[in-house]
Amino acid sequence: MKPLASLLLLLNFCMYAVILGIGGWAMNTAIDHGFVIGPGLRLPAHFSPIYFPMGNAATGFFVTFALLAAVAGAASAISGLNHIRSWSAESLGAASSAAVFAWSLTILAMGFACKEIALDYRNTRLITMEAFFIILSATQLIYIFAIHGAVSTR
């Protein structure tokens, strides 16, 4: 189980890093092209503080939770690296709790990705993030099972 867990750990970390890059680009674009309220201007009737010009109504929520899930996933990969290195019952608790927390945020972001797919109209970078979250929802769960697989107690 240790080689499988190592492979999944590396794969998940790389995918979370790509999501952080694309999500950072989306957040930067949203900040640069957001609505500016100046003196004498009023908010539009359907103003949303989470406005992203490159997608649809679900994009703001998807990108926000994608960034949170990617940070938690990268942190769980660091904790998982320590567990893979020692592969003992003492390091299992930290690695598994971080992995389960990252997986739950990944599932939440995948739900917003599914909503974004249902609403249509998005660019290729957002499509890439959606695909990565669909893949990560499975690979992170398999990783959780793999690290629980054959931990030896000393």
Side-chain angles (χ1 to χ4, degrees):
M1 294 302 259
K2 190 174 179 179
L4 175 65
S6 299
L7 176 69
L8 287 172
L9 180 73
L10 180 65
L11 175 70
N12 289 351
F13 181 75
C14 291
M15 290 177 72
Y16 281 127
V18 169
I19 288 171
L20 279 172
I22 297 172
W25 163 82
M27 189 65 72
N28 185 45
T29 302
I31 291 170
D32 288 346
H33 296 99
F35 184 76
V36 178
I37 301 173
L41 293 177
R42 294 179 40 145
L43 287 175
H46 300 287
F47 174 72
S48 172
I50 305 176
Y51 170 72
F52 283 73
M54 78 286 294
N56 53 40
T59 302
F61 297 103
F62 171 59
V63 171
T64 302
F65 284 101
L67 286 170
L68 291 172
V71 168
S76 81
I78 294 168
S79 176
L81 183 64
N82 183 43
H83 174 62
I84 297 277
R85 190 176 51 80
S86 65
W87 201 255
S88 65
E90 289 82 22
S91 63
L92 177 63
S96 64
S97 63
V100 169
F101 182 71
W103 179 69
S104 63
L105 286 175
T106 300
I107 292 297
L108 181 62
M110 189 196 70
F112 284 117
C114 291
K115 183 62 178 176
E116 190 175 41
I117 291 169
L119 292 177
D120 209 24
Y121 183 71
R122 58 220 193 273
N123 66 16
T124 56
R125 292 178 183 163
L126 294 175
I127 292 170
T128 302
M129 281 179 60
E130 294 161 2
F132 275 23
F133 270 107
I134 291 169
I135 294 166
L136 274 167
S137 65
T139 58
Q140 185 75 10
L141 183 62
I142 295 168
Y143 167 72
I144 291 168
F145 290 144
I147 63 174
H148 281 86
V151 176
S152 63
T153 57
R154 292 183 190 187

